[in-house]
Amino acid sequence: MLVAKPVGRDAATKKYDILSALATFGLSKDKHKQRQILRLMALITTRYNWQCDELSMGQAEIARLWSVDTRTVKREMARLRSLGWLVQKRQGARGRVSVYGLDLARVMADTQPTWDNIGPDFVQRMGAEPQQSDTNVIPFRNESAVEFSNDVWGRACKVLHVDDPSTFASWIALLKFGGDEAGQIVLVAPSRFHATYVTSHLQQRILYALRAQDPSISAVQIIAQ
């Protein structure tokens, strides 16, 4: 839900939800992470254009807002870009400042581990309520118990697990095989948010792993349960 642009009738609620997720996540971390997230929240609340997904602000202006020097601004903005939370949409040049956007899907995905601290109503509103999975992929937390079937999806999962165990455990292990029609594999995610994140960030990686097992596969679609 919240990966959509927070505009329209429920815009205010969606904005508060994003800021709540950031604040709660930051408070669970050390003082350095807390300061980083507070700085990002200051940018969002003072200068971010939700409707256009644009943050346009010069380094000197950011430095004044954060009470730091411009060297600190350069370092911190680079860290936020490396996290994937800030996305540079236009490079700054003579006479104009850089323009950034927010990857809301990435922000919400990274803050999800602390949603429970806000409350079950928030978790449910985000569409990430805990669900039992009957897939043949056992969660990574007990690595010795991970098993995979010998079908195309199971073999692809084994490759994806070896390549990136953490990402596999958080996102791919929760996908269920939903069928194969005319070379298109359908995978079912436990929530709409989960499906949107996987589609945006992992779909191509999953497709490559599937095609390595069966070259006739032409596409993969991730849908919500």
Side-chain angles (χ1 to χ4, degrees):
M1 178 180 70
L2 282 179
V3 294
K5 189 183 297 184
V7 296
R9 179 187 297 179
D10 299 324
T13 300
K14 293 176 182 178
K15 293 172 185 177
Y16 277 120
D17 283 342
I18 293 168
L19 293 171
S20 297
L22 276 169
T24 307
F25 180 71
L27 289 169
S28 72
K29 302 299 181 181
D30 61 33
K31 63 181 181 180
H32 303 293
K33 194 69 174 181
Q34 289 175 4
R35 183 169 55 192
Q36 180 185 57
I37 292 176
L38 179 59
R39 286 169 173 170
L40 176 61
M41 292 177 68
L43 292 177
I44 293 173
T45 55
T46 59
R47 288 293 185 270
Y48 180 62
N49 185 320
W50 294 94
Q51 186 154 4
C52 299
D53 180 32
E54 287 189 354
L55 171 65
S56 180
M57 196 172 182
Q59 290 181 355
E61 191 177 5
I62 296 174
R64 185 165 59 250
L65 176 68
W66 290 352
S67 298
V68 298
D69 57 33
T70 55
R71 288 178 298 176
T72 300
V73 170
K74 291 177 182 178
R75 289 195 300 269
E76 196 73 296
M77 296 296 277
R79 292 190 186 107
L80 290 169
R81 290 197 304 272
S82 69
L83 286 172
W85 292 5
L86 276 186
V87 179
Q88 190 168 58
K89 301 175 73 172
R90 189 184 71 202
Q91 177 69 46
R94 185 183 298 274
R96 67 180 189 183
V97 300
S98 296
V99 177
Y100 297 92
L102 279 179
D103 187 338
L104 296 179
R106 184 64 179 268
V107 169
M108 297 307 285
D110 289 349
T111 59
Q112 186 172 352
T114 57
W115 289 358
D116 283 335
N117 296 350
I118 301 176
D121 58 324
F122 183 88
V123 176
Q124 186 173 10
R125 190 162 66 249
M126 297 302 99
E129 58 272 27
Q131 300 195 31
Q132 295 296 322
S133 173
D134 58 3
T135 64
N136 52 26
V137 182
I138 300 173
F140 174 68
R141 292 184 187 278
N142 183 4
E143 184 174 0
S144 62
V146 176
E147 297 177 359
F148 304 95
S149 65
N150 198 37
D151 57 16
V152 171
W153 174 233
R155 296 196 304 273
C157 281
K158 186 174 183 178
V159 171
L160 291 163
H161 173 262
V162 171
D163 181 60
D164 188 344
S166 178
T167 297
F168 177 85
S170 298
W171 299 102
I172 301 173
L174 298 178
L175 301 176
K176 300 178 184 178
F177 182 76
D180 179 3
E181 184 176 350
Q184 175 172 282
I185 297 292
V186 176
L187 300 174
V188 182
S191 70
R192 185 165 54 176
F193 169 76
H194 197 108
T196 303
Y197 181 86
V198 173
T199 298
S200 299
H201 296 84
L202 302 172
Q203 186 176 35
Q204 284 301 115
R205 189 187 304 184
I206 292 171
L207 178 58
Y208 293 152
L210 285 165
R211 286 181 57 80
Q213 308 305 317
D214 183 352
S216 69
I217 296 173
S218 58
V220 60
Q221 180 184 16
I222 295 91
I223 62 174
Q225 182 170 280

